[in-house]
Amino acid sequence: MAGRVAKKAFGLLLLMMTAQGAYAQYTIRHQAPVAMQQGQLSALEFTVPGLTQADVQQAQLFYRYNGEFTYRQKEVDFRNGAFTVLFEVEDKNATTLEYYLEISLLSGEDIYYPGTLPSENPVEVEIVNNFEGHQKKKLKGMDYTILAPEAGKGVTKDDVLIAIALFYDIATIPPGSFKMYIDKEDVTGLADTSAYYFSYIPKNLSAGQHRVALEYETADETYTVASWDFVVVAPGQASFQGFGPSRTPQVNVELTARNQVIAGDINNAYTGRTRVSGSYGQLRYSLTGYLTSQESMRLQPQNRYQVNLELGKWWNFEAGHVYPSMSPFTISGRRVHGINTSVHLLKENLNMQFIYGDLERSITNQYDSLLVRNITNNADSVVDRRYMLTYQNGGRGTFKRKITGGRIAFGNEERFQLGLHALKIQDDTTSIFNPRDYLDLSGAHLNLNSDLNSTERDSLLAKPDLLEVNGGSVKPRENVVVGTDLKMGFLNNSLRFESEAVVSALNYNIYGGPLNSERADDLGFDIDNNTADLLERLSWLIIINENMNVLPLNISEDDNGDLKADPFFPTSILAGNSQLSYRNSRNNFRLQYRWIGPNFNSLANSTIRRDIAGFTLSDRFNLLKNRVYITLGFESLKDNVTGIRDATTHTATYRTNASWYPVDRKLPRVSAGIRFRMRGNGIKRENFLLSDELVHAAVQNIRQEMRTINGQDSLVTITTATPRMNETFNINASITQQFMVLDARNDISLSISNLKTTDKVFAYGDVLSTALSLNLTSRFSGMPLESQLGFTYNNTDAGSGQTTIEITGFYVGGNYSFLEKRRLTLNGRMAITNNNTSSRMLLVRDNPINDQLNDNPRDNYYTLSENVRKNQFQTYVLQLGARFKMDDYSSLVFDTNLTNVSGSDRTGDHVIQFRYIFSF
């Protein structure tokens, strides 16, 4: 039985898993929260042992609510060795949050969390009502008197004294300890305390409103004793100021110097961050900036700045690097260098938004050389020449991409609102030098003609189109999206209906302008003058030519056999989404229907799932005063919405989730969810040339049919569409528990995720992935110490044995404060990761039965290579740091990161940086 060596690799799955093996040096760790709380700011943190600032181009969090059809975007900062994003749920009706992280490296690689098809299998977290804060129990038998400052009173910065007297019988309360917080910062260790009296004098407390909270912690519960607000005012102001914003601006400045050595390469960098914010009456303002010495014209901007102005609820203005959101079909958090402004007039019954700027800045092409290759015949005589213009490594550029958008809406969205919005994106063809033929190149003075002789130059001048660009020249694009949206609320906004319908047009190459009669004739069909004039008149909106993703011309043959083109409207560029929801104190119901054509595009949102139609149904029940949540959901989708494919894939998804969030912290908080998905197109796996045991590994799907040809019945072999039938079972569970041991409050969290995809029609399509994360955080009440201990495990088997990745990680860290008022804090973290990968190529072989008879490619089948490639390495990361508070305004911070990757030149890599932080 003879077998062939690989003829080709198998599909996207193998490519993805091969890429995962290549990038397995970096492992993203993340402890997902058990739940996200409405109205509360949460921090999502991702750590990547061995990854440094010099490796990162940008990081983005893609997130969506309630299984939306597209993801919103939020940039993530990389600071102190971790990617951290402050997240607040902005959708008041959201019940679930799904998200994944994408990190783009300067090497051109992208790494993700989760690592397996993240857009289809994102992290899913329940969104719940606030289950802390005001719900903490009052301590019975405890009375108090607030001595200073009085609630609601204003005091100057130099006169702030916080004092409270307590009255209780110590024999009637459980054993525990008091904690005092100023603006959620624990100041117990700095306060003058006794069993019945607390006082604290903060130094240089910033102007504005502040909150004092005194709590009592036992081994099982945290009780609220007292909480009140006061305001710091300037000398001479009235003692009562209310709780409006302060006029004194808040300023934060951070300067950083970094020395970095990676694989022997020295990369030093200097950065500066600043933020100035404040208010004056109803006017609120902020100015943020980030400057780095690593700014490069070969990248999109690394330096950032933003100005934000708000006047009450009716005007907002952002300029600089802004992140506008207009609608899911247009733009949702993509960075724009320009302006984003909105006004809300007539009690928010007239709403307008305007966006203008650059979606991408221009990056110049960098060419290498103009190569001449002779084409010879069998006698080694030159019969032709090829002229190839090549790029330098990383030399391909981009056009400046302009974006202009706006929305106008009439009515209040909580009752009735009708909106219209439009977005136009266009590449500036003049922003970079981008030769398409030799005439463009000859006058550019790039010294690329030096290798050409006079005969070759004359040939190119006579036929400029002979010049080829390696990989093609950069193509300028243009995109327009226009839509309308409707929002209605009934029954005090508990019943809502929202709908959006949009149309888009995309041109992949606007060179040459709109299509005219001459170009149409060159393409082999005719357009009349009226059609050509129409395309010319529409060019202010979008250039329509032969490079459209869908050409709005219906080409047909006339009576003379000539081709002609008549304009028509293609439905494949349409998209729509409608949603009906009902929410009360007991449940949250949602019914959604979407229809998105295969040719719908928005260059400002690449996460839109196209060629999809169907509905989503979900309901969440809130039980036991919002302590228990039960979610049930069903989704039915199909592709091939315009009927142009050979087969239609149907997807049915069932999901359920149960969560318990007790107020009593001696009880665990638990969340568990199950998702089951079936996906198939009704096509059977067939190949009559193969034995039964090999059919599911067949390269081609073929069958025989009896057809009548020239009056005779004959067996005809037909190649059918690729069959698809798989089932995915996904289970996620997380639990967090708080307990007291060794005079420390301990929070332990465990997250488990298992995903199994079983392919019913292809032998090498199974995927099995298991991930586990364990984290223990301890806060010691008797000393200023906080520690962290964690363990992660991930095992992925993709392609039924094509690629196996096993990653085990362990980390330990903590921080400890010294000196008076904890002016010096030391911190450290050690992480060890062990990576094991193995891969086997997917080969194509001939049918062993027919191998001696013929060489029919239809009887080829896949098999796994016997050669197993294995790779094992460990990553060791040690992070050390110190923070010294010089005074109440400024601090010095030192950080160092030492990395060692076994079996590579990444031995002794280190990052050392100093930061100066000033704030008032």
Side-chain angles (χ1 to χ4, degrees):
M1 181 176 65
R4 290 187 179 176
V5 188
K7 297 178 179 178
K8 59 181 178 179
F10 169 71
L12 178 63
L13 183 63
L14 177 61
L15 178 62
M16 180 192 71
M17 293 306 156
T18 303
Q20 278 193 346
Y23 306 157
Q25 175 178 324
Y26 298 119
T27 304
I28 303 178
R29 292 176 178 159
H30 172 62
Q31 185 76 34
V34 175
M36 301 285 286
Q37 298 182 50
Q38 285 278 10
Q40 180 170 315
L41 198 65
S42 302
L44 299 177
E45 182 179 276
F46 304 82
T47 59
V48 190
L51 192 68
T52 65
Q53 181 69 61
D55 300 317
V56 180
Q57 180 176 349
Q58 69 173 2
Q60 290 184 308
L61 183 78
F62 292 87
Y63 67 98
R64 65 185 182 187
Y65 300 111
N66 299 330
E68 294 172 329
F69 59 89
T70 182
Y71 286 91
R72 313 180 193 194
Q73 297 171 242
K74 185 183 287 288
E75 287 207 2
V76 183
D77 286 335
F78 183 49
R79 305 183 66 183
N80 302 332
F83 295 90
T84 305
V85 56
L86 296 178
F87 193 90
E88 184 173 7
V89 178
E90 64 260 44
D91 188 339
K92 296 180 181 179
N93 297 316
T95 58
T96 59
L97 170 71
E98 295 174 307
Y99 62 88
Y100 68 91
L101 179 72
E102 178 187 79
I103 303 174
S104 299
L105 306 181
L106 291 174
S107 62
E109 305 165 4
D110 293 323
I111 56 177
Y112 299 90
Y113 185 91
T116 304
L117 298 175
S119 63
E120 289 193 21
N121 305 297
V123 179
E124 185 173 333
V125 177
E126 290 288 301
I127 299 173
V128 301
N129 297 328
N130 190 292
F131 48 78
E132 290 192 13
H134 67 279
Q135 295 179 337
K136 291 178 181 177
K137 296 179 180 179
K138 283 284 187 179
L139 186 60
K140 295 181 180 179
M142 176 71 65
D143 199 2
Y144 61 87
T145 298
I146 298 174
L147 302 177
E150 295 182 42
K153 294 295 184 179
V155 293
T156 64
K157 180 167 55 177
D158 296 332
D159 294 332
V160 177
L161 168 64
I162 298 170
I164 181 172
L166 305 176
F167 306 93
Y168 62 95
D169 184 353
I170 196 170
T172 62
I173 64 173
S177 60
F178 289 98
K179 292 285 186 179
M180 176 174 279
Y181 298 90
I182 305 295
D183 300 328
K184 296 184 179 181
E185 179 183 355
D186 188 352
V187 296
T188 309
L190 306 177
D192 182 12
T193 65
S194 69
Y196 302 98
Y197 178 78
F198 268 75
S199 68
Y200 172 58
I201 303 177
K203 294 293 184 66
N204 296 309
L205 203 62
S206 62
Q209 181 184 348
H210 298 276
R211 185 170 185 82
V212 183
L214 184 65
E215 297 179 354
Y216 188 73
E217 296 181 358
T218 69
D220 300 325
E221 189 66 85
T222 298
Y223 298 90
T224 295
V225 177
S227 62
W228 73 99
D229 297 315
F230 69 97
V231 64
V232 174
V233 300
Q237 289 185 310
S239 61
F240 180 76
Q241 293 293 320
F243 297 113
S246 169
R247 296 183 179 182
T248 304
Q250 295 183 347
V251 180
N252 294 275
V253 178
E254 180 179 316
L255 304 176
T256 303
R258 187 186 77 222
N259 167 256
Q260 179 169 298
V261 178
I262 304 296
D265 294 330
I266 300 176
N267 188 326
N268 296 330
Y270 307 92
T271 61
R273 298 175 186 266
T274 183
R275 176 178 173 84
V276 179
S277 61
S279 61
Y280 188 88
Q282 292 190 9
L283 177 66
R284 296 186 297 275
Y285 60 89
S286 66
L287 170 65
T288 59
Y290 173 73
L291 296 176
T292 175
S293 60
Q294 291 192 309
E295 173 74 7
S296 170
M297 294 305 296
R298 301 303 303 166
L299 302 172
Q300 292 303 314
Q302 304 298 299
N303 293 334
R304 318 282 175 83
Y305 68 91
Q306 181 180 357
V307 178
N308 182 281
L309 302 174
E310 295 182 34
L311 188 58
K313 294 183 178 180
W314 67 270
W315 180 60
N316 178 271
F317 176 81
E318 297 174 327
H321 292 91
V322 298
Y323 305 85
S325 291
M326 193 162 64
S327 81
F329 284 116
T330 53
I331 185 169
S332 297
R334 178 79 179 272
R335 186 179 68 182
V336 173
H337 183 212
I339 62 172
N340 174 37
T341 184
S342 61
V343 293
H344 309 278
L345 307 174
L346 305 178
K347 297 182 179 180
E348 300 184 57
N349 285 291
L350 177 60
N351 305 272
M352 292 176 286
Q353 181 182 8
F354 178 69
I355 304 167
Y356 178 78
D358 297 334
L359 202 60
E360 294 179 358
R361 74 176 178 187
S362 61
I363 298 177
T364 305
N365 287 323
Q366 291 185 341
Y367 296 103
D368 188 14
S369 59
L370 201 166
L371 303 179
V372 181
R373 296 178 180 175
N374 294 328
I375 300 177
T376 60
N377 57 18
N378 294 333
D380 291 333
S381 299
V382 177
V383 296
D384 201 355
R385 290 183 175 87
R386 291 189 62 190
Y387 303 91
M388 181 69 70
L389 182 62
T390 62
Y391 292 100
Q392 296 180 17
N393 185 28
R396 182 178 289 271
T398 59
F399 291 100
K400 176 188 289 187
R401 180 162 289 179
K402 308 292 293 185
I403 180 172
T404 306
R407 179 178 182 267
I408 183 170
F410 304 94
N412 190 302
E413 67 176 25
E414 293 188 357
R415 295 184 294 273
F416 177 88
Q417 184 181 90
L418 177 64
L420 301 171
H421 57 267
L423 189 72
K424 178 177 179 178
I425 300 171
Q426 184 179 45
D427 287 343
D428 183 359
T429 59
T430 65
S431 59
I432 63 172
F433 175 66
N434 189 45
R436 292 172 288 155
D437 56 32
Y438 184 70
L439 292 181
D440 293 339
L441 186 66
S442 59
H445 307 291
L446 294 181
N447 296 322
L448 296 174
N449 296 325
S450 57
D451 293 334
L452 302 181
N453 57 41
S454 59
T455 302
E456 293 166 342
R457 291 194 184 97
D458 292 340
S459 298
L460 282 171
L461 286 172
K463 294 183 178 181
D465 292 339
L466 291 177
L467 179 68
E468 301 178 31
V469 180
N470 188 28
S473 60
V474 183
K475 303 296 192 299
R477 297 185 176 189
E478 188 173 31
N479 178 220
V480 170
V481 184
V482 180
T484 179
D485 57 85
L486 175 66
K487 300 177 181 180
M488 295 187 291
F490 307 94
L491 303 177
N492 199 24
N493 208 36
S494 60
L495 177 65
R496 290 191 57 80
F497 176 77
E498 299 181 4
S499 182
E500 181 180 4
V502 290
V503 57
S504 78
L506 174 65
N507 192 321
Y508 287 108
N509 186 354
I510 61 176
Y511 275 138
L515 185 67
N516 52 34
S517 300
E518 291 78 11
R519 282 225 308 281
D521 186 61
D522 293 338
L523 294 171
F525 59 90
D526 297 325
I527 60 173
D528 56 35
N529 292 332
N530 292 333
T531 302
D533 291 341
L534 175 63
L535 299 183
E536 181 66 34
R537 289 195 300 270
L538 289 175
S539 61
W540 70 271
L541 180 64
I542 185 170
I543 294 173
I544 300 176
N545 58 27
E546 65 275 18
N547 301 308
M548 298 292 295
N549 61 339
V550 177
L551 192 63
L553 296 174
N554 187 15
I555 300 176
S556 60
E557 187 175 312
D558 60 18
D559 296 337
N560 298 323
D562 297 327
L563 297 177
K564 64 176 183 177
D566 299 313
F568 86 107
F569 186 83
T571 58
S572 63
I573 62 175
L574 295 174
N577 180 60
S578 298
Q579 177 175 292
L580 178 68
S581 62
Y582 177 74
R583 180 170 185 162
N584 58 27
S585 60
R586 291 296 182 89
N587 74 308
N588 192 320
F589 171 83
R590 183 174 60 91
L591 174 63
Q592 180 186 33
Y593 177 80
R594 71 198 74 169
W595 193 102
I596 306 173
N599 296 113
F600 179 86
N601 286 275
S602 172
L603 293 179
N605 189 347
S606 61
T607 68
I608 298 174
R609 186 178 176 185
R610 301 191 298 271
D611 194 16
I612 201 75
F615 68 91
T616 302
L617 178 68
S618 68
D619 199 359
R620 189 174 76 174
F621 304 92
N622 306 340
L623 309 175
L624 301 179
K625 297 181 179 180
N626 293 332
R627 298 300 99 209
V628 175
Y629 296 84
I630 305 294
T631 302
L632 300 174
F634 172 71
E635 182 176 71
S636 176
L637 300 174
K638 70 172 185 177
D639 63 4
N640 194 25
V641 297
T642 55
I644 61 174
R645 296 187 181 184
D646 294 334
T648 300
T649 300
H650 295 265
T651 303
T653 304
Y654 305 83
R655 64 176 296 266
T656 183
N657 184 276
S659 305
W660 181 40
Y661 307 108
V663 176
D664 192 345
R665 290 311 307 268
K666 69 181 179 182
L667 299 174
R669 290 173 177 169
V670 182
S671 179
I674 297 174
R675 183 184 61 175
F676 178 68
R677 181 178 64 206
M678 297 183 296
R679 180 174 289 168
N681 59 7
I683 305 296
K684 293 182 179 180
R685 172 71 66 172
E686 298 178 277
N687 193 314
F688 63 91
L689 298 174
L690 292 172
S691 59
D692 292 342
E693 64 268 17
L694 294 178
V695 168
H696 289 286
V699 173
Q700 292 192 19
N701 201 51
I702 59 175
R703 69 171 185 265
Q704 284 187 322
E705 287 185 358
M706 186 67 71
R707 293 187 177 182
T708 302
I709 302 176
N710 297 327
Q712 294 184 354
D713 293 337
S714 303
L715 277 175
V716 179
T717 300
I718 300 173
T719 301
T720 67
T722 300
R724 187 171 192 179
M725 185 184 299
N726 59 57
E727 296 178 353
T728 297
F729 184 80
N730 184 207
I731 181 170
N732 295 278
S734 59
I735 180 171
T736 180
Q737 173 72 68
Q738 187 176 105
F739 59 94
M740 298 294 294
V741 172
L742 300 176
D743 200 25
R745 176 192 282 186
N746 302 275
D747 291 278
I748 186 168
S749 299
L750 173 66
S751 297
I752 301 175
S753 175
N754 179 268
L755 183 144
K756 181 180 181 180
T757 296
T758 303
D759 200 311
K760 302 287 188 178
V761 293
F762 184 61
Y764 303 104
D766 293 354
V767 176
L768 178 61
S769 179
T770 302
L772 182 147
S773 176
L774 178 67
N775 183 79
L776 173 65
T777 300
S778 303
R779 299 172 179 87
F780 294 83
S781 59
M783 62 180 73
L785 171 65
E786 180 178 323
S787 65
Q788 189 178 54
L789 183 68
F791 172 80
T792 60
Y793 174 78
N794 183 283
N795 185 288
T796 300
D797 186 331
S800 303
Q802 295 177 56
T803 302
T804 301
I805 302 174
E806 184 180 42
I807 302 171
T808 305
F810 170 82
Y811 61 92
V812 60
N815 61 74
Y816 192 88
S817 299
F818 298 87
L819 304 181
E820 182 184 1
K821 299 182 180 180
R822 303 182 182 180
R823 296 180 62 187
L824 175 63
T825 300
L826 302 182
N827 61 81
R829 182 184 178 99
M830 182 180 68
I832 302 173
T833 303
N834 183 67
N835 300 264
N836 291 280
T837 64
S838 64
S839 61
R840 301 170 66 183
M841 290 292 294
L842 196 61
L843 308 179
V844 178
R845 298 189 182 275
D846 288 333
N847 188 342
I849 299 176
N850 297 329
D851 190 49
Q852 303 298 325
L853 303 177
N854 56 56
D855 188 15
N856 186 358
R858 287 180 170 176
D859 64 11
N860 290 346
Y861 66 95
Y862 292 105
T863 184
L864 284 176
S865 169
E866 296 180 357
N867 181 25
V868 181
R869 294 179 297 178
K870 295 184 178 181
N871 185 26
Q872 180 179 5
F873 62 90
Q874 294 79 36
T875 301
Y876 306 90
V877 179
L878 177 63
Q879 294 174 275
L880 299 173
R883 182 186 184 102
F884 179 69
K885 191 173 183 180
M886 303 170 62
D887 52 40
D888 293 317
Y889 299 102
S890 55
S891 300
L892 286 177
V893 180
F894 165 79
D895 294 299
T896 183
N897 185 312
L898 307 177
T899 304
N900 184 9
V901 180
S902 65
S904 71
D905 57 357
R906 299 288 301 273
T907 302
D909 292 353
H910 67 265
V911 179
I912 300 174
Q913 65 179 16
F914 292 90
R915 285 186 291 151
Y916 170 72
I917 300 175
F918 175 80
S919 61
F920 69 87

